[in-house]
Amino acid sequence: MTESTELHPEDRKIVTLARSARARNGVPEGAAVRDETGRTYVAGTVTLDSLQLSALRTAVAMAVASGARSLEAAAVVTTADHLPPEDRSAVSDLGDPTTPIHLATPDGTVHETLTTANDSPADA
């Protein structure tokens, strides 16, 4: 488990951006990812009749559509206690096995940092 105060400032930034997206849009989840150049992509849950995407998958899609070649980190703000496998796969597709995914509560507290390599928490 990783506490919020232990995060690198750039990781704290993406948690804050994800939290803001969730609150601003009134959606169940907010997410942000940072690419290899330091650019960030922020998204909320997409729920349309013809399209449903988690916030994290939306943020990854935005990064890809903008030309990102890899991901350095991801953050999700949600009330859920775990990430669906599809979210981790999306990060894995653009990241690498060590890309951290910070899972945070709506108040911004990171309660777990995962990698795409396996189900165990990332080393802090």
Side-chain angles (χ1 to χ4, degrees):
M1 210 179 284
T2 302
E3 294 299 319
S4 301
T5 56
E6 297 174 9
L7 291 180
H8 184 277
E10 290 299 314
D11 289 349
R12 166 64 29 220
K13 175 183 171 182
I14 62 172
V15 170
T16 299
L17 290 169
R19 184 176 180 222
S20 296
R22 181 182 182 271
R24 180 180 56 252
N25 297 323
V27 292
E29 297 177 341
V33 298
R34 185 177 62 249
D35 74 9
E36 76 283 359
T37 67
R39 291 181 297 182
T40 56
Y41 306 88
V42 182
T45 310
V46 173
T47 306
L48 300 171
D49 289 342
S50 63
L51 178 65
Q52 292 80 41
L53 289 173
S54 71
L56 185 53
R57 282 178 269 165
T58 304
V60 170
M62 291 171 63
V64 170
S66 297
R69 294 176 187 224
S70 67
L71 293 181
E72 290 183 348
V76 180
V77 174
T78 182
T79 57
D81 59 355
H82 69 282
L83 286 178
E86 298 86 3
D87 281 12
R88 293 175 74 155
S89 292
V91 173
S92 179
D93 287 346
L94 198 55
D96 67 42
T98 64
T99 302
I101 306 169
H102 304 293
L103 189 58
T105 58
D107 70 358
T109 301
V110 174
H111 63 87
E112 191 169 23
T113 296
L114 308 166
T115 65
T116 62
N118 56 41
D119 291 339
S120 62
D123 294 328

